[in-house]
Amino acid sequence: AQKVTQAQTEISVVEKEDVTLDCVYETRDTTYYLFWYKQPPSGELVFLIRRNSFDEQNEISGRYSWNFQKSTSSFNFTITASQVVDSAVYFCALSEPEKAAGNKLTFGGGTRVLVKP
Amino acid sequence: EAGVVQSPRYKIIEKKQPVAFWCNPISGHNTLYWYRQNLGQGPELLIRYENEEAVDDSQLPKDRFSAERLKGVDSTLKIQPAELGDSAVYLCASSYDSLGTGELFFGEGSRLTVL
């Protein structure tokens, strides 16, 4: 079974629109971490945000915000007022330290975001 | 601070030839990872090192893939012989946290095309 599912393969928006990326995860661990990474055309994955399983408080960081709901195993990510530079592939990832005895990220399939001017 | 450095950025080879990729992690990062990313998919872990020790190589196809991390710093990933299905981007990453709580820092990757 896929542990991290990103149902949206591609999203296209016009600049200044908000875009929300969905992520559903699967784990039996009580302690786990969720991440969002951005992969621009250059290929380098860039860390955006991290959340641990004990903290469901949703936050806003600049134009980024996230909605973590353990009840539905979802960790959605929103870019507010999108810009052309936000065009990239976004990956949701899961870390299960108890199972993997260390840092091992399991990635979803990614969602390509295209922001048109 | 320098990021994770990988080389080569691009490599085109014919099937059955060998190929090697090199990675220099961020200074002070004891944990090093090699991921493979197929086109249109998320990265998948091949091997993880803690210093010089390979602590997770369960996903590494050991019949043709090998990796080493001498002196616990730089690492090399080798494929011999390469097959058509090995065409992918090979990503190296490092982290200071080995407990699973921290972020990974990725290089730009080495894109392999096998003809």
Side-chain angles (χ1 to χ4, degrees):
Chain A
Q2 193 167 0
K3 289 190 171 230
V4 181
T5 302
Q6 295 180 250
Q8 306 150 305
T9 56
E10 185 168 325
I11 299 175
S12 182
V13 297
V14 177
E15 203 170 19
K16 298 185 182 179
E17 290 183 341
D18 297 347
V19 56
T20 295
L21 309 180
D22 299 335
C23 174
V24 175
Y25 62 92
E26 177 186 334
T27 180
R28 295 183 178 180
D29 289 1
T30 55
T31 302
Y32 54 90
Y33 295 81
L34 294 163
F35 301 78
W36 276 98
Y37 279 81
K38 174 182 179 180
Q39 188 174 40
S42 62
E44 179 180 352
L45 281 101
V46 178
F47 166 82
L48 296 177
I49 57 174
R50 173 185 60 230
R51 214 76 189 135
N52 72 59
S53 52
F54 297 105
D55 185 359
E56 288 191 74
Q57 182 177 353
N58 297 311
E59 293 185 13
I60 298 174
S61 176
R63 294 188 298 109
Y64 298 154
S65 63
W66 49 95
N67 185 349
F68 176 31
Q69 294 191 347
K70 290 178 71 172
S71 60
T72 56
S73 296
S74 66
F75 185 52
N76 298 337
F77 175 68
T78 297
I79 305 172
T80 303
S82 61
Q83 302 175 1
V84 173
V85 294
D86 296 326
S87 296
V89 181
Y90 291 81
F91 291 96
C92 180
L94 167 70
S95 174
E96 302 164 288
E98 296 173 1
K99 179 175 298 181
N103 214 355
K104 175 181 177 179
L105 289 182
T106 300
F107 287 87
T111 299
R112 180 177 299 277
V113 174
L114 177 61
V115 181
K116 300 177 181 178
Chain B
E1 179 181 300
V4 176
V5 180
Q6 290 187 246
S7 69
R9 286 277 282 138
Y10 304 93
K11 189 74 175 179
I12 301 174
I13 61 173
E14 294 187 348
K15 63 181 181 181
K16 299 186 180 180
Q17 285 191 333
V19 63
F21 304 112
W22 174 81
C23 173
N24 178 242
I26 292 174
S27 177
H29 284 192
N30 295 326
T31 309
L32 183 145
Y33 315 75
W34 282 102
Y35 278 82
R36 176 168 61 188
Q37 185 176 21
N38 293 315
L39 186 64
Q41 299 181 22
E44 295 180 327
L45 181 69
L46 290 174
I47 189 168
R48 173 168 63 96
Y49 281 93
E50 295 292 341
N51 297 306
E52 298 176 349
E53 182 182 0
V55 296
D56 184 354
D57 63 356
S58 57
Q59 300 293 97
L60 190 72
K62 298 181 183 61
D63 58 336
R64 297 183 300 105
F65 286 65
S66 64
E68 61 182 11
R69 191 184 184 196
L70 300 177
K71 301 182 180 179
V73 181
D74 294 359
S75 177
T76 302
L77 177 69
K78 298 178 181 178
I79 308 174
Q80 183 173 9
E83 297 180 351
L84 295 177
D86 296 331
S87 294
V89 176
Y90 292 84
L91 295 163
C92 179
S94 67
S95 70
Y96 59 87
D97 171 18
S98 63
L99 301 176
T101 63
E103 66 182 277
L104 271 61
F105 295 81
F106 284 84
E108 293 182 316
S110 294
R111 181 178 297 275
L112 173 66
T113 301
V114 182
L115 303 177

